[in-house]
Amino acid sequence: MQGRKNRDGSAAAEPEPQGGTGPAAGGPRPQRAQNPGRTASVGDGDGRSASAVGSDAPAQPSPKGKSKGKGSAPVGPGSRIALRNWRISTRLVSLVAVPVVAATTLGALRISDSMTAIKQLDNMKLLTEMTKQATELASALQNERDQSAGPLSNDPNATDDFSVKAAREKTDRARQAFLDETLNVQSDDQTDLAGVRDHIVQIASQLSALKSLREHAYEKGTTASQTVEGYSRLIDNLLSLSTDMAQATSSPEMIQRTRSLAAFSSAKESASEQRAIIAAALPANSSSFGKMSETDRQYGQAAEDSQKSHIDTFDSVYGSEKAAALLKPLTENNPTIKAADKYADRAFRNPDGLTSQDKRSYKDWIDADSTRIQQMSTIELTLLNEMEQQARELRNESQQSAIINGALILLVLGVSLIGAFVVSRSMIRSLRRLQDTATKVAQDRLPELVKELSESDPQDVDTSVESVGVHSRDEIGKVAAAFDDVHREAVRLAAEQALLRGNVNAMFTNLSRRSQGLIQRQLSLISELESREADPDQLSSLFKLDHLATRMRRNGENLLVLAGEEPGRRWTRPVPLVDVLRAAASEVEQYERIELAAVPATDVAGRVVNDLVHLLAELLENATSFSSPQTKVKVTGHALPDGRVLIEIHDTGIGLSPEDLAAINERLAAPPTVDVSVSRRMGLFVVGRLSQRHGIRIQLRPSDSGGTTALVMLPVDVAQGGKKAPGKPGAGPGAPAGAGGPAAAQAAAGAAAARRGVGAGPG
């Protein structure tokens, strides 16, 4: 008969409102409200959700009366004063009360204070080493700034001057040493050094700007104070690390020494600023007077006042007597320092301070004032050494105190833990038994019972529950009893669900069988009308009705797949793969857009033919439904060396997002349990279930030319269906009854007739 579809295959389903090649990533989770890309879905009928929950399920087996298994005979809890019947709160109190009280009484607070002090002093050790490096770097920056002031102010291109070059090299070495030392602090994971680490990161970032500062140092058109101020910002940040040291300790002695160091280092920086300002104002030789701008003069005057203020602060913090002894090299009658102080004071206090004194070169001034700076550097190093020594002494004292207190507490704890062990052992035994039983139930017993219920009649399965076996009166015993109740309830629910699934599957099977019978009668009637009709227009309409009925039958067969039923008809002989592909194409509404190419000459095992036609028809239906009507859907096959066959279905739709592809492939590899979502994604479930039934692998991938490619991998036992029988496959007794030949041959004939114009309907 012209134009007939393969009625022994599976009918095509209506496409879903979203799509791409292959089944969609649907499932129990709700659909997205909007999806700009296409969400692939193999057809699921008219898209309406279906509920397959019956209300006439047979009565469920009652586990009551069977709940006691082996070993469930009640065991008496014993005396109420027995240790196993104590309340957990009582046991815990008795477990921890003695060691906690003893530890608290004998000096837990003192140990805590000692450990805190040790921790702080360890931090101080790190910070002291880092502060030493920071101080050396600050001194190097001061020396670079002061040594460069004269040469660069007189000649901006004097960067190759020995004094400038040597000072910068020394600074670079000090900077690298400082950065290496800061790694010890930055790698420390203690939270109380977080502020120091942040400060170090800030300093390291500012040091990266040193190159730019050098390029513009003392350049023409700017005042010397601008360069001095740029260096001062770096130096001040380095010197402020001593303030971080004060914040990292609670020791009054360490705080006093860090504050003293910070004050004196600031005074030294102010003295260095004065040296740089005057050096920048003096000429290269003593044949002429120097020239200082008013801005530089005021800046130097402010630095001079700041130096005096910081010295006063140092004197008050460090102690007047100790400060006087330490500052004696600066304050005693040293003619060089005294002359330099006098020269600087006149230079800054009077607008014509340089011209009112003897002519000097910047080298003379640097040599004269460096005596003061060197003496201040010596004092600064002395303060650092004193601070380091103080930190070491305090740490030794705290460590010794912590060791003594710790030894006493450990002795008390050792005695206490022996008693605590006896108490805890009683709890551990019951808890371990409960844990082992719960694990065995969750991992072995309950899954095995659920599997047994799903594979056989629930009424024939023993649903009794074995008790945990913990019968004490404490909370652990009550938890064990509650767990037994939960276990019994879980078994009861599993039995009810197994019965419900059986009822639903029976409903699916019953509905499918009934609808298939009606559709088969409808197809026979349509076939009879087609054979009598000569009008091409009427015949075209009959073809469309024929095709619609065939797709309705495939939806009915989908219900059989949902119920886990096998198809009622099977081929006993192998069928060529090309005929299987043609049969699948004939069940697609837009069959004329399907283009077969390079199909290998191999046979498909007869037991798989109907399911494979059904599976391929679902994929082809989706490919044609969700790609442009003007494009072709190409189907190709490849025979692999190991005997497998790979079928590729290419469409040119808008494609799928990587997330959707991943979700679809996951659901194809492991079809979910039948639920409400299956009615909305029936095609996805059917394709996954059919592929799983025969070991067929399906995967969706993006196509190189746009759209999506569905890959269908046929295993060896499917693709190599045996030797071909002589003549056309299916012509012998192996063909299904009433088929009149293989389904593929009918499909090919119908498609050919349609192309010749016999009718407008699909072949």
Side-chain angles (χ1 to χ4, degrees), residues 715-760:
V716 176
D717 61 336
V718 172
Q720 306 297 325
K723 295 181 179 180
K724 293 185 178 179
K728 294 184 178 180
Q746 293 185 11
R755 293 188 182 93
R756 290 195 301 268
V758 175

Side-chain angles (χ1 to χ4, degrees), residues 275-338:
R275 183 172 64 169
I277 290 292
I278 295 178
L282 295 176
N285 51 61
S286 57
S287 60
S288 60
F289 288 104
K291 184 178 181 181
M292 182 185 298
S293 67
E294 181 62 20
T295 301
D296 291 346
R297 187 186 69 80
Q298 293 180 1
Y299 188 92
Q301 184 177 352
E304 187 179 17
D305 295 338
S306 178
Q307 177 187 352
K308 295 177 180 179
S309 175
H310 288 309
I311 290 296
D312 292 340
T313 302
F314 170 75
D315 185 78
S316 61
V317 173
Y318 192 71
S320 299
E321 294 183 1
K322 294 191 298 180
L326 197 61
L327 296 176
K328 189 175 181 180
L330 295 175
T331 57
E332 67 183 2
N333 294 327
N334 188 316
T336 304
I337 296 177
K338 188 173 182 180

Side-chain angles (χ1 to χ4, degrees), residues 268-481:
K268 177 172 170 266
E269 165 61 10
S270 298
S272 177
E273 289 177 341
Q274 300 172 52
R275 183 172 64 169
I277 290 292
I278 295 178
L282 295 176
N285 51 61
S286 57
S287 60
S288 60
F289 288 104
K291 184 178 181 181
M292 182 185 298
S293 67
E294 181 62 20
T295 301
D296 291 346
R297 187 186 69 80
Q298 293 180 1
Y299 188 92
Q301 184 177 352
E304 187 179 17
D305 295 338
S306 178
Q307 177 187 352
K308 295 177 180 179
S309 175
H310 288 309
I311 290 296
D312 292 340
T313 302
F314 170 75
D315 185 78
S316 61
V317 173
Y318 192 71
S320 299
E321 294 183 1
K322 294 191 298 180
L326 197 61
L327 296 176
K328 189 175 181 180
L330 295 175
T331 57
E332 67 183 2
N333 294 327
N334 188 316
T336 304
I337 296 177
K338 188 173 182 180
D341 289 342
K342 183 177 180 181
Y343 186 86
D345 185 68
R346 287 185 178 181
F348 295 135
R349 297 299 172 181
N350 301 316
D352 56 349
L354 292 179
T355 58
S356 63
Q357 303 184 74
D358 295 338
K359 295 178 181 179
R360 278 192 178 187
S361 65
Y362 62 80
K363 292 182 180 180
D364 296 336
W365 163 249
I366 290 294
D367 292 340
D369 197 50
S370 293
T371 303
R372 174 177 58 171
I373 301 299
Q374 290 174 358
Q375 288 293 341
M376 297 184 78
S377 297
T378 303
I379 296 173
E380 188 177 46
L381 181 59
T382 301
L383 293 173
L384 279 169
N385 292 334
E386 289 180 354
M387 183 173 61
E388 184 178 15
Q389 179 64 25
Q390 182 69 33
R392 188 181 299 109
E393 293 176 357
L394 291 174
R395 188 188 186 285
N396 291 337
E397 293 177 3
S398 299
Q399 187 175 15
Q400 184 178 7
S401 175
I403 290 174
I404 295 175
N405 292 328
L408 292 175
I409 291 180
L410 286 176
L411 179 61
V412 175
L413 286 176
V415 175
S416 302
L417 287 176
I418 294 175
F421 173 76
V422 177
V423 179
S424 62
R425 187 179 180 186
S426 172
M427 298 174 59
I428 291 174
R429 284 182 175 177
S430 298
L431 288 173
R432 283 181 177 173
R433 184 168 186 175
L434 177 58
Q435 177 187 1
D436 294 342
T437 304
T439 302
K440 186 178 294 184
V441 168
Q443 296 180 356
D444 299 327
R445 295 181 188 173
L446 193 56
E448 290 176 0
L449 180 61
V450 171
K451 182 179 179 181
E452 188 177 357
L453 287 171
S454 63
E455 295 176 351
S456 59
D457 189 349
Q459 296 181 354
D460 298 334
V461 178
D462 182 12
T463 57
S464 60
V465 174
E466 183 179 352
S467 174
V468 173
V470 179
H471 304 285
S472 57
R473 294 179 180 177
D474 62 352
E475 286 83 351
I476 299 177
K478 293 178 181 179
V479 170

Side-chain angles (χ1 to χ4, degrees), residues 27 65 130 157 191 202 241 268 318 350 525 538 587 639 686 710:
M130 186 186 64
N157 298 320
T191 56
Q202 179 185 2
L241 285 175
K268 177 172 170 266
Y318 192 71
N350 301 316
L525 179 59
Q538 294 295 331
E587 299 215 355
V686 168

Side-chain angles (χ1 to χ4, degrees), residues 179-233:
L179 293 177
D180 292 342
E181 185 65 35
T182 58
L183 293 177
N184 296 328
V185 177
Q186 294 187 42
S187 60
D188 197 298
D189 58 354
Q190 299 181 22
T191 56
D192 51 2
L193 294 180
V196 178
R197 286 195 293 269
D198 293 340
H199 195 180
I200 290 172
V201 172
Q202 179 185 2
I203 293 175
S205 176
Q206 291 178 345
L207 287 174
S208 63
L210 182 59
K211 180 179 179 181
S212 175
L213 182 60
R214 289 172 173 175
E215 291 176 353
H216 300 285
Y218 304 105
E219 62 184 357
K220 296 296 184 182
T222 62
T223 60
S225 57
Q226 290 177 314
T227 300
V228 173
E229 177 64 23
Y231 276 93
S232 294
R233 283 192 293 268

Side-chain angles (χ1 to χ4, degrees), residues 140 143-145 147-149 151-152 157-173 214 231:
N143 186 62
E144 175 184 328
R145 175 185 60 192
Q147 294 289 347
S148 302
L152 295 181
N157 298 320
T159 54
D160 292 334
D161 185 274
F162 176 77
S163 60
V164 177
K165 188 175 181 180
R168 290 184 176 182
E169 290 177 353
K170 182 179 179 182
T171 300
D172 292 337
R173 290 193 298 271
R214 289 172 173 175
Y231 276 93

